[in-house]
Amino acid sequence: MRFFFIGLMVLCLFFSCSDKNETKIDVSEIKVDFSINRYDVDFYNANVKTLTNVKLKYPYLFPNEFTDSIALAKINNKDEQELFTETQKIYDDLLPLKNQLNSLFKHIKYYNSRFKEPDVVTLLSNIDYESRVIYADSLLLISLDVYLGKQHRFYADYPKYIKENNTKEHLVVDVANAIINKQVHPSNKRRFIDKMIFEGKKMYLLDLYLPTISDQEKIGYSSDKFNWANANEQQIWMYFIDRKILFSTDSNLNARFLENAPFSKFYMEQDNLSPGKIGVWLGWQIVRSFMEKNDVSLQELLKMNEDEIFKKSNYKPKK
C-alpha cells in the first residue's frame, strides 16, 4: 500500500472551500447564565492580608495540605509571577472567551435541555497540558497558561503535536470535549471498529456543539497532518481491511491509532507524515456518513450500538 501526500497549497484551498458545516442552528432564543471568576488574578495579586479572602472565595482550590505558607511562597515565586504576567498579556480581557462559551453552552442546551451551564474559574496549572480543562457539572476549571500560543517560548521543549493545540482557538474545543466526556458513557466494547465509532460519536457532538469551528481545529491536527488524513482516507481504510484490524480486539491498537500521539503507527516508511489518533478521525467520518443516510436524533445516535451504526453508515472513503 502506498500513501499519497498532495501539495499543501492545493489541499488547503480545496478543504477550506469544501469544509461546509450543515449543523448550524438558531440558538438565539436559548438562555444561559454563568459567571467567570478569575482565580488566577485573585491568587497572584494576593498578599498576607488578602489571602484569606481568596480562600473563602475558592475553598475547593485550597485543600488542607495547601497551607498559607506554601500559597504565599507560590505567589511570590519569580517564575510563577512571570507565568502569570505572560498569561495576562493574552487573557487580560475574557470577553472573547465568554462569548465562545456562551455559544457553546447554548448549543449544548439546544440538544440537551437538562444541561446546566457551569460557572467558570480560570487558573494557572504550571502548564499541565494533561489537565487543561476540568469539568465537574457545576464547575469548569480552565488552565489559561496552556493556551498562550503554540510558538510561545514556554512551550519550546514540548512535542509539536502537544503544543499545536496550546492556542486560544483550541481552548473552546477542549472545554467542549471535557463536557462531552461526561455526557457520553464509556464503552466496554473491545473490537477496534467499535472503539473507532465510539470516538466518532464524540467527534460528531463537536460538530453540533461547535458548528463554526473548523474540522482541523476540532480534531486538533496541524495543517499538513489534517491534509494528509483527508488525502489518504481510502488508503487508511484499505490498510485496516487488508490487515484485518477492524474487528480485532488487540488492545495495542489503541496506542497505534486512537490515542493522541505525534503520528499513527502503520509500521510503514511514511508514518511520520500521518497524524496521531487516525482511528478517531476515521470513526468520525463513519458516524457522519451514518447521520447523512439515516433519520435519527442525536439521543438515538448516542444510545445506538456501534455495530449497527457501522452497518447502516454504508461508509465509503473518499478516493
Side-chain angles (χ1 to χ4, degrees), residues 162-277:
I162 293 293
K163 60 187 178 184
E164 181 67 34
N165 296 315
N166 288 12
T167 64
K168 290 178 70 173
E169 293 75 22
H170 201 73
L171 194 161
V172 71
V173 177
D174 284 342
V175 170
N177 275 322
I179 295 173
I180 288 168
N181 286 334
K182 289 281 189 177
Q183 291 182 332
V184 180
H185 298 298
S187 173
N188 59 2
K189 300 291 182 62
R190 298 179 59 231
R191 299 186 312 171
F192 183 64
I193 184 65
D194 295 324
K195 294 176 182 178
M196 283 174 55
I197 293 175
F198 174 76
E199 294 298 330
K201 286 181 179 180
K202 294 194 290 184
M203 290 301 302
Y204 186 75
L205 279 175
L206 283 183
D207 288 339
L208 302 183
Y209 292 172
L210 298 172
T212 63
I213 301 295
S214 70
D215 285 357
Q216 180 184 330
E217 194 68 62
K218 281 181 281 194
I219 193 67
Y221 289 164
S222 63
S223 296
D224 55 344
K225 299 283 189 177
F226 179 73
N227 292 337
W228 187 97
N230 277 288
N232 290 287
E233 183 175 347
Q234 186 179 47
Q235 286 75 28
I236 298 164
W237 184 244
M238 292 309 301
Y239 178 94
F240 288 161
I241 292 175
D242 291 345
R243 287 159 178 78
K244 298 179 173 55
I245 286 175
L246 290 179
F247 301 103
S248 171
T249 58
D250 182 1
S251 61
N252 291 322
L253 294 171
N254 297 345
R256 290 177 61 190
F257 301 117
L258 295 176
E259 296 173 6
N260 201 20
F263 52 83
S264 294
K265 299 173 181 66
F266 298 94
Y267 302 139
M268 300 182 70
E269 194 173 314
Q270 294 184 323
D271 275 6
N272 64 308
L273 297 178
S274 72
K277 58 182 184 183

Side-chain angles (χ1 to χ4, degrees), residues 21-274:
N21 199 312
E22 299 178 357
T23 57
K24 292 182 179 179
I25 54 171
D26 182 9
V27 296
S28 59
E29 299 300 317
I30 295 178
K31 306 299 182 185
V32 293
D33 182 25
F34 66 98
S35 63
I36 299 182
N37 291 301
R38 300 295 307 264
Y39 172 75
D40 52 328
V41 174
D42 294 340
F43 180 78
Y44 284 100
N45 284 322
N47 54 42
V48 176
K49 293 182 179 179
T50 62
L51 182 60
T52 299
N53 295 331
V54 179
K55 291 168 65 177
L56 290 173
K57 186 175 180 180
Y58 308 97
Y60 44 86
L61 294 176
F62 286 87
N64 292 333
E65 58 269 22
F66 191 32
T67 63
D68 286 5
S69 60
I70 293 176
L72 290 168
K74 185 175 176 69
I75 291 169
N76 294 314
N77 181 275
K78 178 184 175 182
D79 293 337
E80 297 266 356
Q81 282 293 333
E82 182 182 12
L83 182 62
F84 172 61
T85 299
E86 287 296 303
T87 304
Q88 281 296 101
K89 289 179 182 178
I90 298 172
Y91 293 104
D92 179 46
D93 178 13
L94 288 191
L95 181 59
L97 174 60
K98 185 163 188 177
N99 289 337
Q100 282 187 313
L101 295 177
N102 188 65
S103 175
L104 170 63
F105 295 161
K106 283 187 173 188
H107 280 85
I108 296 175
K109 187 170 275 191
Y110 175 90
Y111 291 104
N112 185 353
S113 60
R114 293 178 296 176
F115 172 75
K116 178 66 175 73
E117 54 275 19
D119 285 324
V120 179
V121 175
T122 61
L123 45 79
L124 307 186
S125 64
N126 297 109
I127 315 179
D128 182 1
Y129 64 83
E130 292 186 346
S131 301
R132 299 163 179 256
V133 174
I134 297 175
Y135 170 62
D137 298 325
S138 62
L139 200 60
L140 181 71
L141 306 179
I142 300 176
S143 300
L144 293 180
D145 53 329
V146 186
Y147 302 100
L148 303 181
K150 58 186 176 182
Q151 302 298 334
H152 198 282
R153 58 188 172 86
F154 286 166
Y155 310 142
D157 296 329
Y158 283 60
K160 184 179 179 181
Y161 78 101
I162 293 293
K163 60 187 178 184
E164 181 67 34
N165 296 315
N166 288 12
T167 64
K168 290 178 70 173
E169 293 75 22
H170 201 73
L171 194 161
V172 71
V173 177
D174 284 342
V175 170
N177 275 322
I179 295 173
I180 288 168
N181 286 334
K182 289 281 189 177
Q183 291 182 332
V184 180
H185 298 298
S187 173
N188 59 2
K189 300 291 182 62
R190 298 179 59 231
R191 299 186 312 171
F192 183 64
I193 184 65
D194 295 324
K195 294 176 182 178
M196 283 174 55
I197 293 175
F198 174 76
E199 294 298 330
K201 286 181 179 180
K202 294 194 290 184
M203 290 301 302
Y204 186 75
L205 279 175
L206 283 183
D207 288 339
L208 302 183
Y209 292 172
L210 298 172
T212 63
I213 301 295
S214 70
D215 285 357
Q216 180 184 330
E217 194 68 62
K218 281 181 281 194
I219 193 67
Y221 289 164
S222 63
S223 296
D224 55 344
K225 299 283 189 177
F226 179 73
N227 292 337
W228 187 97
N230 277 288
N232 290 287
E233 183 175 347
Q234 186 179 47
Q235 286 75 28
I236 298 164
W237 184 244
M238 292 309 301
Y239 178 94
F240 288 161
I241 292 175
D242 291 345
R243 287 159 178 78
K244 298 179 173 55
I245 286 175
L246 290 179
F247 301 103
S248 171
T249 58
D250 182 1
S251 61
N252 291 322
L253 294 171
N254 297 345
R256 290 177 61 190
F257 301 117
L258 295 176
E259 296 173 6
N260 201 20
F263 52 83
S264 294
K265 299 173 181 66
F266 298 94
Y267 302 139
M268 300 182 70
E269 194 173 314
Q270 294 184 323
D271 275 6
N272 64 308
L273 297 178
S274 72

